[in-house]
Amino acid sequence: MLVTHKYSENTTYLINKGVKSTGGHRSNGFFTPFKSVFYFVFAISMLFSTATYAQNEVISFDLKDVKLIDVFTKIESLTNYKFIYKDKTILNNSKFSFRANNESVGSIFNRLFQNRKVKFQIIGKQVVLNPIEVTAQNPIDKPTETTNKDTQKFEVKGVVKDENGLPVPGTSILEKGTNNGTVTDFDGSFSLMVQNPDAVLVFSYIGYISQEVAVKNRNAIDIIIKEDVAALQEVIVVGYGKQKKVTLTGAVSDIKSEEILQTKTANLANNLTGRVAGLVINVRGGEPGSDQVDVRIRGIGTTGNTQPLYVIDGVPNRGSFERLNPDDIESISVLKDASAAIYGAQAANGVILVTTKRGKTGKPVFNYSTNFSLAQPTRRPELMNAYQFLTWKDEVNVRNNRPTEFLEIIRQYRDGSVDKTKWGDTDWWGTVTEKWTPQMQHSLNVSGGSENTTYYLSGQYLNQDAIYLGNDYGYKQHNIRSNIDSKIGKNIKIGFDLAGRFGSNNRPTLDTEGLVRQVFVQAPFDFPYFENGLIRKTSAGNPVSLVNGDSGSRQTQTKKFDSKFSIRMDLPFIAKGLYADGYTAIDYYTTTRKDLSKPFDQYEFDEETGEYINLNFQTGTVNLFQQFSEEMNRLLHFKIGYDRSFGKHNISSFLAYEQFKQEGEFIFAQRQNLISADIPFLFAGAEENQNNGGRGFQSARLNYFGRLNYNYDDKYLVDLTMRYDGSSNFAKDNRFGFFPAVSAAWRISQENFFKSDLIHELKLRASWGLLGNDRVNNFQYLQIYNVGNSYVFGENPQRVNGLTPGTTPNPNITWETSQKVNLGLDFKLRNSILTGSVDAFYEKRSDILAPRNASIPVYAGLTLPDENIGKVDNRGIEIQLNHRKKVNDFTYTLGGQFTFAQSKIIFIDEAPNVPEWQRRTGKPVDFILIYQADGIYNNQSEIDNSAAFPDAKPGDVRIVDKNADGVIDERDQIILENSPTPRIVYGFTMGFEYKNFSLNLLFQGQAQAKTIYRPFDINQQSEFYEKRWRSETLTPNAEFPAAFDTASSSFREVSTIWIRNNDFLRLKNVDLSYNMNKKWLEPLGIDSCRFFLSAHNLLILFDSVKINDPESVSSTGWFYPQQMLLTSGLNISF
Amino acid sequence: MKNFQFALLTLLLFSAFSCQDDFLELKPLDAISEEDVWKELNLIELYVNDRYNELPHGFPQWAGGLRMTGITDESYHMHEARFLDKYTQGGLTSGSLNMYYFNGFWLDAYKAIRNQNIFLENIDKYQPQPGEEKRIEQLTAEIRFLRAYFYTELISRYGGVPLIKETFNVNSNFNVPRASFDECTEFIVDELDAAIADLPNRSEVTGVSFGRITKGAAVGLKIRALMFHASPLFNPSNNNSRWQLVAEACEQLFGLNEYNLSQDYKGLFLNPLDTEVIFFKQFLDQFGFELVDEPSDFFFHYRGGHNINEWRFPNGSGGWISENPRQEFVDQYETLSGEIPVLGYTGNANNLQPIINPNATGYNPNNPYQNRDPRLRYSVLYDNTTFKNRQLEMWKGGMDSRDPNVDFWWNGHRLGYGIRKSLDESWSLNDGVSGKQPWIYMRLSEFYLTYAEAQYHLGNPSAAVQYVNFIRQRSGVNMPPINASGDLLKKIKHERKIELAFESNRWYDARRWRDAEVDFAKDIVGVEITKNQVTNQKTYRYFYFEGGTGKRSFPQSHYLWPIPIDEILKSNLQQNPGY
């Protein structure tokens, strides 16, 4: 198997070609040759990487005893393809036979070169062949020309550092009175060509005092910029605005671009794991393009929907953030307490604010980054081998009073005499998946601007391969973004943002769970292939055909276009500090899905005739299912604000109106029996049994809200927000809700009596707020009837339409409300040797929407709607600490965050007669109801002397008779104290910098979570075999029951024997990078260049799940495993 | 000027949104509102159509519905044993985790009943146009039939159940006690009597209407309800007069003069137009397999339709032969002389000796399927019978056996037999279409046998014998007649067992007769056939499938199913005894 994915090969090839063909371009003063070449190449490669080449052409031929070159000639004669190769060694002269029967060209190439150490690339109609040993050429040929300097100008270089001697990257430097400027890079250094030696440079950085420095003929200017004590440092994005971190009154965490980019995965949520206090992130699987990430703010506080609200550039409901380009992110803020109340009815689960980068005045700065990763499951299923499997089967036979079937074969396996042509020993997981899968990412952005107009433009390309055997499966993504701001008048600024995303996910026809299950249903004594390579039919259906591309694919393409037009006008002519602000966001999403299933070849061998019989007739026909959905979201926001200081009184306030409307529809169509799998379009399908359908959906929200923020002398701080929200999800009388919040803080360190050399900053915070959660199915207040296919009538039978009532209406349905209280403390010691915050929170949810299915009997026949009945409390603490120090050339940072959140159900619909130990009240929201196990029965007398299931035998799980009625039944099940959602999550970061090297480590851990792991189908994890009960004497303290099947009570009745603890600590991320020396880069016109090696999910330091990744919650084990990534890459800015 | 521009831009922003009077007043775009449905007769008819669709049938993908043969002494269900063992081994409890199969019916039935009640409460809202009254009456009668159907199925499983005649809403008082069995029966019979008046005759239901509920079906259902009511399980005081009502209802059915016994015992199960068929559900032979998402399902299954052919075909013909008739059930098929050939088994569990009936002339233990009631041939797949133009090879190593050297051996039988009744032999795995044969709920011979049973209890043995012999002696079966001597009831029961084998009746009958505690507690006997490759001589080894005796049991509690535990916890319903 080729490890490199074919698309990455294409890109490599084109880059080489591109450099050659454009190497002679002249620079134009603005672009260095390198820049222009690079830009061109990048654009081309972005373009071409999407192009697919028709390798579907189907040909047939049969060549016997030929050389490779003869096969080439044959294929060239049958198609338009031409083989191109320099290295003749690939034409090894051995002879072979090759046959293709209506096979696609792509497939033929795959087969032809599979074991030949030949790498092929298809460029148009050319098949380019290279020996595989040859190391890939450096993708970037170094240009031979030196950069073209303008001798008329004067160059100034230098380094910008802060008072602690740390470099300040991102400081903007502007030649006063011009548009000429630049930004400092990673190590704080800059270089700028100025017009004349007397120019004045303006250094500015947010939170620092701007400085003007005259050049005075100096070529080198190192400056130290000082923290702006008045304006006070860091600014944090909060709901509908920004606030200085020091005067913030709410519990808001934020994470900036730099730290986000330390993790190199394809899913942005991974980049936050373990880094933000209060954010509980669990990665539940590793499937490319699917976001199996649980993101919870302060754990789970409701039995209803637990998703936080994502707000991207001020616009809510743009989907979640996982698929955004990490390079585009300026910062992410997490609103954890009443500070989220400004988002009213959608804010109860907390709010995540994502802010993308915008341009800064200055010359264009290009940033290019690329990385290439190899991924491997952190853990893979290790199932029983053939010997263990057959032993297990016969043990089950014996336990079920059935005759043994395999004693002789088992003996033969043991002594090695088994007929290996009939009895195999297959590692099915290893057969259907690849050991390593590649993924790669390119990202290019450019930002800059004049005094009046700034821009940020970016593009990203991502390609992730799936672990399945076939090459076609995986995820590809393109992201583009353009954020433009312009000052069009003295008081008017406008902005226009456009972001596009194209994601293409190609999966096997069966879903992931079903596919992984296929590994569990295979008998290990079956063979995947015959000796001649034909795929063998196995007793459970050979899964090789499901993952190698033969059975078809399910392709989902999502296209998203987010646009935002904004305008802001200051109104000093009415009142100083008054402004008006408005924006409209129009987002358009489409999803297309195309499922093509094809008959596939699986063979059986007929011993009598000696022929291989293709059983493809059993695998159906060529069928096509297509689905198209589109959605348009329109948001309108209008705001009038007033920000002003009167002496020591500072006021910031606004009133706003927002409306949101979502409209969409979806259609699907399907046809069967297509004339060819190569024409995957509906017209090619049979008329008979065609099917189609479609429907629409809409929802709307209408909101009025405002904020009043007042502070006195930056010392006493109060923030008051309120929101009046209306949602179409509810009936007219219950549609609107009011959500106020107040928070206050006291900066003790600003008081005159507070004199400390050590403590520079000390702030106490408190907040209270009312928030809502309206995420339920809409129109539950109406009785509706659904249309569908129904009964077959007629002497000539025909299916007719039918109508069925939907959910029983609940006219009273309304919001879920949350009351949040938070107490916090922020502090900062001298020189940032320790900064941190501590928060304690308490949340009371009520009116939680849930169906009353526990108390309404089934005989009522209702399809239950949600009702506002539940109550949940959630409380906990969070701590975040950071330390930073520099010793000579060596800088290090240490950080840690810890979150404890415990939820408890206060009221939930429960059946009145439920026993005490099954009450969900007082237990976690995502509860586990299970029998309590008490070891394994060792002998019959233990069974006779206890309550047991009627079919209990020695070797079965002993169940505790909770209600002591002498019978084990459902009333004996208990609810556990813990659930799969951890109560404790924590993380540490360590950063080291020495000269040009830097190393960053992230450890992530959790505690107090439990999950059921009960993987079983026909085969299962060998751990259960090795630790099974065998007899009283052999295994008196066995961990797991005797060999079982799905009917055994030990397996069927889920008991705590299957529970495992999810506590773990893992090395989540390691990132080692090297910044190239400026000296070497400058002649190339490159500002900085950084190489890095990083690893994600590298090590699990401790855990007790063992058979799966400790973050998995799949009881069956049928899931796409979490991935470990080894990544290398580079970052260039120029 | 700038201010003006700003104002203009703001205005433009707003105008990007069409100003609606009530921005939040939206309608669902994927369904029809309640008001609209009850205003239009065509929509009302669509509503009724979907109620038909709620009828369970005997060919579901997995066991459940009416696919009952695996929990009786008729057959062993190889692929569902893990769900059914709780019941067949005497360990059924009320817990939902164990009740995947048994619980479902309670839920489905009451959901259907609510939907029927919705119709009955709303139909009066419709203002009929002249000439539409009859159609409305007929639709109403259909709904009342369907509701009575679900109640009959409920009481036959659980005994008296809560009689829900109105719809609840979320704020209702849900406390409804279980009605007595008598009250339920009375309700069902009254409802059916009302429906019968408005339902069309079989001969009036033709063309596109074919399949709609007829008078005959309603009378048949009434017979069933009354039969349960008269049977020992539900008639503990043995009040024989209840059988009078059964007999009268049967006469009402016969008096319709719409149905005749079929002359094609084998073919009638494929043909809903057969004169014997009273009530049925049709299917379409939809094309193609599909890979499915559902983790609970295997590799692929059929699109729509049902898949009973693949489930029951022998492995040599690409099927799974899931439900294996048990040896002792096969033994019940008489010899052509009218005698049950084998009376039981003795000896070593792995090599049982059949106790051969000395009166069974024509029975050859070395060729046991010869000279037997032809219904054996029509109902059971056994060794050497002709199926799809070939001789089945059930013997060890034969192409239909479970021998590791045989293709698809893992799908092979375990007991030596498969079910043939209602298989569509023309179906082929290679065609890739689903099965289209109908599920037949009621056919005339059932009611002949019910009538015979009633007449026996009413002291008219000659009438009883007459109706049993109609069945035995129809062309294509031609078995010797029975007479009234000896244990006539036993003969009637035996005839019912054979005639209605594998049609789901057995589970109801053995319970209502209180025979299940003996019959269903018998251990499973299977046969292994060995063929001498030189002489072609076959030998038959009989064995206890589960290794010995006492593996099966049927406690008294199992006569009724438990009410699901969740339901008991939520309500004041009284649980059935023993759970």
Side-chain angles (χ1 to χ4, degrees), chain A residues 151-171:
Chain A
T151 48
Q152 296 298 309
K153 292 184 178 175
F154 184 83
E155 188 182 20
V156 184
K157 285 200 243 178
V159 177
V160 178
K161 292 182 175 175
D162 67 9
E163 291 157 297
N164 298 317
L166 294 173
V168 185
T171 309

Side-chain angles (χ1 to χ4, degrees), chain A residues 592-646:
Chain A
T592 57
R593 180 173 148 182
K594 197 165 197 168
D595 295 5
L596 180 71
S597 58
K598 306 187 281 190
F600 45 83
D601 297 341
Q602 290 195 350
Y603 295 85
E604 65 178 359
F605 184 65
D606 187 330
E607 278 177 18
E608 279 171 34
T609 61
E611 279 173 10
Y612 293 91
I613 302 164
N614 192 339
L615 303 172
N616 61 359
F617 61 85
Q618 290 179 3
T619 54
T621 55
V622 183
N623 299 333
L624 179 68
F625 171 87
Q626 276 189 276
Q627 187 175 302
F628 175 81
S629 65
E630 65 170 10
E631 180 183 329
M632 171 96 99
N633 293 336
R634 290 177 295 172
L635 178 100
L636 176 66
H637 171 96
F638 184 74
K639 175 163 85 179
I640 289 205
Y642 183 63
D643 288 351
R644 182 125 187 232
S645 301
F646 305 92

Side-chain angles (χ1 to χ4, degrees), chain A residues 423-444:
Chain A
W423 296 90
D425 199 353
T426 302
D427 167 17
W428 283 99
W429 177 267
T431 303
V432 299
T433 63
E434 311 240 21
K435 205 165 165 65
W436 291 97
T437 47
Q439 71 180 53
M440 62 112 149
Q441 218 173 146
H442 293 281
S443 163
L444 176 71

Side-chain angles (χ1 to χ4, degrees), chain B residues 203-439:
Chain B
S203 47
E204 296 166 278
V205 179
T206 53
V208 291
S209 312
F210 180 66
R212 298 204 86 91
I213 294 155
T214 56
K215 274 190 185 5
V219 179
L221 184 59
K222 184 169 104 174
I223 297 169
R224 279 191 183 169
L226 289 168
M227 172 187 75
F228 288 126
H229 187 240
S231 296
L233 182 63
F234 301 112
N235 184 11
S237 60
N238 234 342
N239 178 356
N240 257 1
S241 66
R242 291 185 181 183
W243 287 106
Q244 184 59 43
L245 298 173
V246 177
E248 283 166 12
C250 288
E251 283 155 12
Q252 188 185 358
L253 176 68
F254 307 153
L256 294 173
N257 283 323
E258 292 273 350
Y259 308 100
N260 290 302
L261 283 185
S262 174
Q263 305 304 301
D264 180 8
Y265 185 82
K266 188 183 175 195
L268 82 90
F269 296 100
L270 306 181
N271 179 16
L273 288 156
D274 191 287
T275 54
E276 184 171 332
V277 175
I278 296 174
F279 186 44
F280 55 91
K281 180 173 196 155
Q282 293 194 94
F283 298 91
L284 299 177
D285 55 341
Q286 280 164 332
F287 196 76
F289 296 98
E290 62 186 344
L291 292 164
V292 288
D293 283 6
E294 281 173 45
S296 63
D297 214 332
F298 279 115
F299 217 38
F300 37 60
H301 76 161
Y302 285 97
R303 220 176 269 280
H306 61 67
N307 197 10
I308 200 66
N309 296 318
E310 191 176 10
W311 276 94
R312 288 185 176 167
F313 266 36
N315 52 330
S317 299
W320 311 336
I321 200 157
S322 296
E323 291 139 302
N324 297 176
R326 294 157 67 159
Q327 178 63 46
E328 288 190 284
F329 192 79
V330 172
D331 292 339
Q332 294 299 305
Y333 284 86
E334 296 167 13
T335 57
L336 286 175
S337 59
E339 294 289 340
I340 295 169
V342 177
L343 304 172
Y345 293 86
T346 58
N348 183 330
N350 286 317
N351 196 2
L352 296 166
Q353 295 307 310
I355 304 166
I356 292 169
N357 180 355
N359 303 327
T361 52
Y363 179 72
N364 176 0
N366 294 318
N367 196 355
Y369 313 119
Q370 214 181 21
N371 300 326
R372 302 287 289 274
D373 184 334
R375 287 174 293 184
L376 175 63
R377 195 164 70 240
Y378 301 145
S379 309
V380 177
L381 296 168
Y382 51 80
D383 185 48
N384 212 35
T385 192
T386 308
F387 181 77
K388 285 185 82 71
N389 301 319
R390 67 180 182 89
Q391 262 44 59
L392 292 190
E393 299 175 0
M394 300 299 220
W395 44 273
K396 199 169 164 48
M399 71 182 288
D400 301 296
S401 72
R402 194 183 186 83
D403 183 284
N405 296 313
V406 171
D407 293 343
F408 310 111
W409 63 270
W410 51 88
N411 288 332
H413 66 80
R414 284 185 179 273
L415 301 183
Y417 303 103
I419 294 177
R420 179 180 212 149
K421 189 182 261 183
S422 74
L423 283 195
D424 181 357
E425 244 176 279
S426 69
W427 182 88
S428 159
L429 182 65
N430 304 1
D431 299 343
V433 296
S434 52
K436 67 172 180 204
Q437 65 267 45
W439 173 253

Side-chain angles (χ1 to χ4, degrees), chain B residues 336 374 471-480:
Chain B
L336 286 175
I471 289 168
R472 286 173 71 86
Q473 296 199 295
R474 76 171 107 172
S475 78
V477 175
N478 305 105
M479 288 294 287

Side-chain angles (χ1 to χ4, degrees), chain A residues 120-169:
Chain A
F120 74 95
Q121 295 162 243
I122 298 176
I123 318 279
K125 286 287 181 185
Q126 296 182 334
V127 185
V128 181
L129 304 174
N130 276 305
I132 226 162
E133 299 92 338
V134 175
T135 48
Q137 273 179 277
N138 184 340
I140 301 150
D141 283 357
K142 284 182 184 163
T144 47
E145 287 176 71
T146 53
T147 42
N148 196 4
K149 281 196 180 174
D150 188 338
T151 48
Q152 296 298 309
K153 292 184 178 175
F154 184 83
E155 188 182 20
V156 184
K157 285 200 243 178
V159 177
V160 178
K161 292 182 175 175
D162 67 9
E163 291 157 297
N164 298 317
L166 294 173
V168 185

Side-chain angles (χ1 to χ4, degrees), chain A residues 401 509-510 554 569 573 584 617 670 672 785 790 794-795 804 852-854 858-859 861-862 970 1046 1053, chain B residues 3 6 13 27 32 50 82 95 98 114 170 174 207 210 282 287 291-293 295 303 430 546 567 570:
Chain A
N401 303 310
T509 42
L510 202 60
R554 178 187 300 184
M569 185 176 196
F573 42 85
T584 171
F617 61 85
Q670 94 188 86
Q672 299 171 358
Y785 287 71
S790 100
E795 284 179 62
T804 289
R852 247 192 307 155
N853 48 13
V858 164
Y859 62 70
L862 307 184
E970 291 67 27
T1046 47
E1053 314 295 353
Chain B
N3 298 342
F6 179 73
L13 269 178
K27 262 196 162 190
I32 298 175
D50 234 20
R82 61 185 188 276
N98 311 325
R114 173 180 164 82
V170 289
F174 299 104
F210 180 66
Q282 293 194 94
F287 196 76
L291 292 164
V292 288
D293 283 6
R303 220 176 269 280
N430 304 1
E546 284 155 323
E567 205 71 345
K570 289 172 191 174

